[in-house]
Amino acid sequence: MHNPGHRFQAQDRFADGAQYIAGRLTKGTSGRTFAVVDPSTGEEVYTYELAGTADVDAAVAAARAAFPGWSGATPGERSDALHRFAAVLADRADELARAESLQCGKPLKLTREFDVPGTIDNTAFFAGAARHLQGQSAGEYSGDHTSYVRREPIGVVGSIAPWNYPLQMAAWKILPAIAAGNTIVLKPAELTPLTSLLFAEAATAAGIPNGVINIVTGAGKDAGEHLVGHPDVAMTSFTGSTAVGKRVAEIATSTVKRLHLELGGKAPFVVFDDADLDAAVNGAVAGSLINTGQDCTAATRAYVQRPLYEAFVSKTADLMATVRVGDPFAPDTDLGPLISHAQRDRVAGFVDRARSYARVVTGGTVPQGDLKSGAYYTPTLVADAAQDSEIVQSEIFGPVLVVLPFDTDDEGIALANDTPYGLAASAWSRDVYRANRATREIKAGCVWINDHIPIISEMPHGGYEASGFGKDMSAYSFEEYTQIKHVMFDNTGVAEKDWHRTIFGDRS
């Protein structure tokens, strides 16, 4: 396995604790400890004190205290701070990449070429977007008044992020919120707090005022629910499973908070019979295995029109078999472990149960030898499952792709829409009319054509139906993090308005 000297030394780096409140690291006060585990070895790499409700209260108080100054800063001042933030992140890119690989098991080439650059680009995007928080232009819509619209920050945002993309999810939560003038308390997943803490430290180094960004690392039942229900938190943004999202919604709506949910997915990958088969095969393998399949937009259900079905299954299985599973810090590793042994066993359970009703074409095994102590699982292709089977309908969150055939275009699109989710999808065709039909009729927040997975800072990310509502990234995210205020000026200077007679007196 990898040389420990090449890893991020979490215990030393965060010796002062895993809470970041008012610009400094502190220890949690819950009285309970938790360990971050390197999933490639099973080794505990960082043990820390979990946040309790008192830590959440302190973080919210810090954010509330910082709000008047930060919200009162000019858009240019916030923009300048975010530009400095992007520069600090770029200087610390290697540290961020190594910490992300350590806590998640992601191959270092993925964190260096995807997670970290994407986060830096997102920061630079919101540095520019901070100057464009505009409302509707002034106009005399009533004839006697001038109206205009202001966008104003909401206040303290309480956000909860998942473990699959800790750095990018921290950025997606924090950046639009603070660019719009809010302050924030983020609760990262207990399994993966390291890069959220590094992100907050970089913000302070860039000159973003203390208290604008706060991190509380605690259990969902304690720190998470207390944050969502806190009376001084004006908005909740949550990314995670649909089941937990329902609980977050219950708490948030009971306190009449603004709510943004990005939940589960089961992305369809629809291959029409005129598609470039090799392109579709490459896209399916990359799209299903990114982040070891622990991606809510990952390709999970491939529907292939019958003339291409057998060739697609054969070629995809052959390509999957070449994927190199191994040490995340090794330069030739393609696929790392899952986040934990529990998650590995959960994924294996889906595949093992499917053996009774479907065909496991390749993979479906736990590697042995040098990898046996890690949470590894081989890239897996399952064919011939029924549409209503568990492996087709349920979110697996692992390196598993299920392939089913279809006959007509109507059937392919209907199958694509036949789950409760609607986060992402792709369609593969050389026919522009077929492709355009797929973009119109597939119910998902993002539909790719002849590709699957790429995201860009300028475009929104968010789902339909059981995948939640609201948008991350792009200028559309400001819809989540701003309040709209209508301002109306009287232009007449008349004391007795004509409409007053509807309330008192007669027309003069």
Side-chain angles (χ1 to χ4, degrees):
M1 295 301 290
H2 51 257
N3 180 345
H6 293 167
R7 295 185 295 174
F8 177 81
Q9 300 301 310
Q11 202 66 55
D12 296 336
R13 185 70 173 76
F14 296 122
D16 290 333
Q19 319 305 323
Y20 196 79
I21 300 172
R24 66 186 186 93
L25 290 166
T26 63
K27 297 183 186 299
T29 62
S30 70
R32 293 180 293 128
T33 59
F34 194 86
V36 175
V37 175
D38 176 351
S40 70
T41 63
E43 174 193 358
E44 294 184 2
V45 295
Y46 180 54
T47 302
Y48 65 94
E49 294 84 359
L50 288 164
T53 56
D55 303 301
V56 173
D57 290 342
V60 171
R64 188 178 181 188
F67 178 73
W70 183 248
S71 62
T74 66
E77 289 168 339
R78 290 199 294 267
S79 175
D80 288 346
L82 286 166
H83 277 299
R84 295 193 302 271
F85 190 9
V88 173
L89 292 171
D91 288 341
R92 300 181 181 187
D94 191 63
E95 181 182 48
L96 289 163
R98 290 183 180 281
E100 196 78 332
S101 290
L102 178 69
Q103 67 182 353
C104 298
K106 298 171 186 274
L108 194 57
K109 70 175 182 179
L110 180 65
T111 59
R112 281 177 167 168
E113 298 177 30
F114 182 75
D115 297 75
V116 174
T119 300
I120 295 168
D121 182 74
N122 211 227
T123 308
F125 169 80
F126 278 106
R131 290 179 177 266
H132 297 283
L133 275 168
Q134 299 170 345
Q136 189 171 352
S137 299
E140 285 69 47
Y141 299 100
S142 78
D144 291 338
H145 306 82
T146 296
S147 290
Y148 66 88
V149 169
R150 292 175 54 88
R151 281 188 182 273
E152 296 181 347
I154 296 171
V156 176
V157 177
S159 291
I160 300 176
W163 48 255
N164 59 333
Y165 288 102
L167 178 61
Q168 291 202 80
M169 293 299 99
W172 287 16
K173 298 299 182 195
I174 290 169
L175 293 171
I178 68 170
N182 302 285
T183 56
I184 190 166
V185 179
L186 174 75
K187 192 198 89 66
E190 305 97 294
L191 293 169
T192 55
L194 304 181
T195 45
S196 297
L197 296 169
L198 291 175
F199 192 74
E201 283 190 324
T204 299
I208 292 176
N210 294 343
V212 171
I213 299 172
N214 305 275
I215 309 294
V216 289
T217 311
K221 285 288 186 181
D222 301 323
E225 293 198 1
H226 190 62
L227 178 62
V228 174
H230 200 290
D232 291 334
V233 169
M235 173 186 167
T236 291
S237 177
F238 171 80
T239 296
S241 72
T242 300
V244 178
K246 291 178 180 178
R247 175 60 180 156
V248 169
E250 289 174 2
I251 299 170
T253 54
S254 70
T255 54
V256 199
K257 286 180 169 55
R258 177 80 64 90
L259 181 61
H260 168 219
L261 298 174
E262 199 264 273
L263 307 176
K266 189 71 177 176
F269 185 101
V270 183
V271 182
F272 295 103
D273 57 13
D274 67 331
D276 181 327
L277 180 60
D278 289 337
V281 167
N282 288 335
V285 173
S288 64
L289 299 185
I290 185 169
N291 203 38
T292 318
Q294 299 166 125
D295 185 314
C296 47
T297 64
T300 58
R301 301 178 288 139
Y303 297 103
V304 183
Q305 208 152 21
R306 206 168 294 275
L308 295 183
Y309 180 71
E310 293 298 340
F312 180 91
V313 171
S314 176
K315 285 176 171 284
T316 301
D318 289 345
L319 185 56
M320 273 193 173
T322 70
V323 173
R324 299 164 297 184
V325 180
D327 172 9
F329 286 80
D332 58 350
T333 291
D334 297 319
L335 195 78
L338 288 130
I339 189 66
S340 67
H341 289 79
Q343 179 66 12
R344 190 270 313 276
D345 294 344
R346 179 181 180 276
V347 171
F350 275 102
V351 177
D352 290 343
R353 291 188 295 274
R355 296 180 196 277
S356 65
Y357 58 79
R359 175 167 53 109
V360 178
V361 183
T362 190
T365 61
V366 175
Q368 297 302 305
D370 291 343
L371 303 181
K372 67 180 181 180
S373 61
Y376 291 94
Y377 197 72
T378 54
T380 302
L381 183 68
V382 177
D384 305 334
Q387 174 66 14
D388 62 356
S389 62
E390 174 193 53
I391 204 163
V392 174
Q393 291 292 321
S394 299
E395 189 173 27
I396 299 170
F397 232 53
V400 179
L401 176 64
V402 183
V403 189
L404 296 84
F406 69 92
D407 291 304
T408 67
D409 289 16
D410 287 350
E411 182 189 10
I413 291 173
L415 290 169
N417 287 330
D418 185 30
T419 72
Y421 300 105
L423 186 59
S426 65
W428 299 72
S429 174
R430 292 184 172 98
D431 185 326
V432 66
Y433 299 104
R434 257 179 166 173
N436 270 324
R437 180 189 177 192
T439 66
R440 291 192 307 272
E441 296 187 15
I442 294 177
K443 296 180 176 67
C446 174
V447 180
W448 293 282
I449 298 298
N450 297 325
D451 208 344
H452 195 108
I453 285 297
I455 54 175
I456 50 175
S457 297
E458 291 82 359
M459 288 291 112
H461 175 88
Y464 288 19
E465 300 178 340
S467 291
F469 49 82
K471 300 300 178 185
D472 290 310
M473 300 199 300
S474 82
Y476 290 99
S477 64
F478 286 138
E479 303 292 337
E480 315 302 321
Y481 294 99
T482 56
Q483 302 185 95
I484 301 300
K485 177 185 287 183
H486 171 214
V487 177
M488 196 172 195
F489 279 89
D490 171 58
N491 291 332
T492 67
V494 175
E496 295 184 16
K497 305 291 194 296
D498 186 57
W499 72 269
H500 292 174
R501 69 182 176 82
T502 63
I503 312 303
F504 60 89
D506 300 316
R507 185 188 295 273
S508 57

